[in-house]
């Protein structure tokens, strides 16, 4: 049986919010089976709970944010991506600010935190959301699609017309029947352009951004002295974001995801399109020997419980 997972112990981190620029304390705690991922704004009186839920997504300007009963928590996508990549189903996330810390701009530090806490299998079957028929969402020349697939595969293409991006691969396919989240995706950083900084900050965005937590470019080149971590880091970060955005549905997907020029908003919209068509999906478990598709077995072997 493929089982649900949580943490073995509590782990803590401190960082800065990418958009708000505030110091943030983060605590990740184990949770009981079938809890899901729940964010807790512990700085509010009383504390507020914000479960991962695509219908709670309130802000998709350069991040995915959740809102419930007037409480918000932003920039959840990198942590959610790491949680999904390691196969963690149940987690409490305590945060004392309206934003998850950006750390180095990738999911790598969150992977390290989660693995440091230890990952524990639970006495409950993992519940997958299986896509049964294709669904699509489009806005002008941007689109995103989910199709049936016995595993989890993501194909993404980007267009930026920028020399530093154009000389890298601008399309990628990550198939977890073959690839490792930790090795192939987790370290891809968010990116931005110097010419957009003033405008973003005027709108209260990127106040905590720096070369320490993003790939930054001028009109011609990458400004980070260490260069890129992957030859296709730009498009891989879009895949990293998509994994986190999609995991807000509360379950790992059995699906093929494909997208062109999509972002947080379209990722949220495709989940809503999917969930609102009850004939397009089902919840499944793999509790008997031989039931599990090979691609699924491989995906969770790459992120073993420890």
């Amino acid at each position: 049986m493929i089982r649900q997972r949580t943490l073995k112990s509590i782990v803590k981190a401190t960082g800065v919010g990418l958009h708000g620029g505030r110091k943030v304390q983060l605590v990740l705690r184990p949770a009981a089976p079938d809890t899901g991922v729940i964010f807790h704004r512990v700085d509010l009186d009383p504390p507020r709970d914000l479960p991962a839920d695509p219908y709670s997504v309130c802000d998709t300007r350069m991040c995915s944010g959740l809102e419930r009963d007037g409480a918000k928590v932003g920039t959840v996508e990198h942590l959610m991506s790491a949680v999904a990549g390691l196969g963690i189903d149940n987690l409490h996330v305590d945060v004392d600010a309206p934003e998850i810390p950006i750390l180095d701009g990738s999911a790598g530090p969150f992977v390290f935190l989660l693995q440091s806490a230890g990952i524990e299998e639970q006495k409950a079957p993992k519940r997958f959301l299986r896509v049964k028929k294709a669904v699509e969402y489009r806005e002008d020349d941007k689109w995103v699609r989910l199709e049936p697939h016995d595993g989890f595969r993501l194909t993404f293409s980007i267009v930026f017309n920028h020399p530093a991006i154009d000389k890298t691969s601008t399309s990628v396919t990550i198939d977890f029947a073959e690839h490792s989240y930790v090795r192939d995706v987790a370290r891809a950083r968010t990116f931005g352009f110097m010419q957009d900084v003033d405008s973003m900050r005027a709108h209260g965005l990127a106040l905590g951004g720096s070369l320490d937590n993003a790939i930054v470019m001028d009109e011609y080149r990458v400004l980070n002295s260490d260069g890129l971590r992957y030859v296709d880091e730009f498009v891989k970060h879009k895949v990293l974001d998509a994994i986190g955005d999609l995991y807000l549905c509360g379950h790992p997907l059995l699906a093929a995801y494909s997208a062109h020029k999509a972002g947080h908003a379209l990722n949220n919209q495709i989940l809503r399109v999917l969930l609102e068509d009850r004939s397009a999906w089902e919840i499944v478990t793999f509790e008997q020997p031989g039931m599990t598709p090979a691609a699924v077995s491989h995906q969770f072997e790459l992120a073993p419980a420890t």
Side-chain angles (χ1 to χ4, degrees):
M1 179 172 72
I2 296 189
R3 300 177 185 271
Q4 294 181 30
R5 293 176 179 177
T6 191
L7 299 187
K8 285 184 177 180
S9 62
I10 294 173
V11 67
K12 302 178 182 181
T14 301
V16 65
L18 173 62
H19 295 302
R22 287 178 50 182
K23 181 180 178 181
V24 184
Q25 292 187 331
L26 179 73
V27 179
L28 307 178
R29 300 186 283 118
D34 297 318
T35 297
V37 179
I38 303 180
F39 294 85
H40 305 278
R41 281 288 305 278
V42 298
D43 57 315
L44 301 178
D45 186 14
R48 305 289 182 83
D49 300 338
L50 296 95
D53 178 353
Y55 291 97
S56 295
V57 172
C58 66
D59 190 350
T60 52
R61 296 177 305 162
M62 303 182 66
C63 74
S64 285
L66 302 174
E67 181 176 9
R68 186 181 186 189
D69 299 330
K72 296 182 180 182
V73 59
T75 321
V76 303
E77 63 275 9
H78 299 170
L79 174 57
M80 288 298 296
S81 186
V83 170
L86 294 177
I88 296 169
D89 304 271
N90 306 302
L91 183 68
H92 291 293
V93 181
D94 297 342
V95 61
D96 70 348
E99 188 174 13
I100 299 299
I102 190 62
L103 302 180
D104 78 345
S106 78
F110 294 115
V111 167
F112 175 79
L113 285 170
L114 294 163
Q115 290 181 327
S116 296
I119 299 170
E120 180 173 78
E121 288 196 337
Q122 300 175 289
K123 294 181 180 179
K126 187 182 289 287
R127 293 160 57 83
F128 294 84
L129 194 157
R130 173 159 43 200
V131 172
K132 295 171 61 178
K133 70 178 187 182
V135 293
E136 185 176 276
Y137 182 83
R138 289 181 174 266
E139 286 185 2
D140 302 322
D141 62 340
K142 305 174 183 179
W143 57 265
V144 58
R145 182 183 301 121
L146 288 169
E147 299 174 276
H149 181 65
D150 277 339
F152 189 33
R153 185 180 70 223
L154 301 99
T155 299
F156 211 111
S157 59
I158 57 175
V159 177
F160 278 92
N161 297 319
H162 186 282
I165 298 177
D166 291 347
K167 71 180 183 181
T168 72
S169 296
T170 55
S171 63
V172 70
T173 295
I174 297 292
D175 188 338
F176 288 109
E178 305 171 7
H179 296 100
S180 159
Y181 176 84
V182 175
R183 182 188 66 231
D184 298 320
V185 177
R187 297 181 66 246
R189 292 161 295 175
T190 193
F191 57 93
F193 306 93
M194 282 297 299
Q195 58 264 37
D196 296 334
V197 168
D198 288 343
S199 174
M200 289 189 293
R201 291 183 172 172
H203 289 86
L205 298 172
L207 298 178
S210 73
L211 291 169
D212 294 327
N213 54 39
I215 303 169
V216 181
M217 291 163 282
D218 62 14
E219 295 181 1
Y220 307 104
R221 61 192 175 93
V222 170
L223 299 179
N224 304 64
S225 60
D226 57 346
L228 299 180
R229 294 175 175 177
Y230 303 106
V231 295
D232 50 1
E233 187 168 1
F234 300 106
V235 70
K236 275 190 173 175
H237 185 78
K238 301 293 282 186
V239 169
L240 184 156
D241 278 347
I243 292 169
D245 290 340
L246 295 174
Y247 204 45
L248 289 169
C249 75
H251 302 284
L253 288 176
L254 297 178
Y257 163 98
S258 51
H260 177 66
K261 297 177 67 175
H264 302 297
L266 266 66
N267 291 335
N268 182 248
Q269 288 296 332
I270 195 62
L271 282 183
R272 296 185 184 213
V273 170
L274 174 69
L275 295 174
E276 288 164 13
D277 183 350
R278 193 59 188 84
S279 68
W281 59 275
E282 62 182 346
I283 300 295
V284 298
T285 61
F286 301 108
E287 302 182 51
Q288 302 298 325
M291 288 180 57
T292 308
V296 175
S297 296
H298 183 77
Q299 178 179 352
F300 291 101
E301 287 171 358
L302 292 173
T306 57

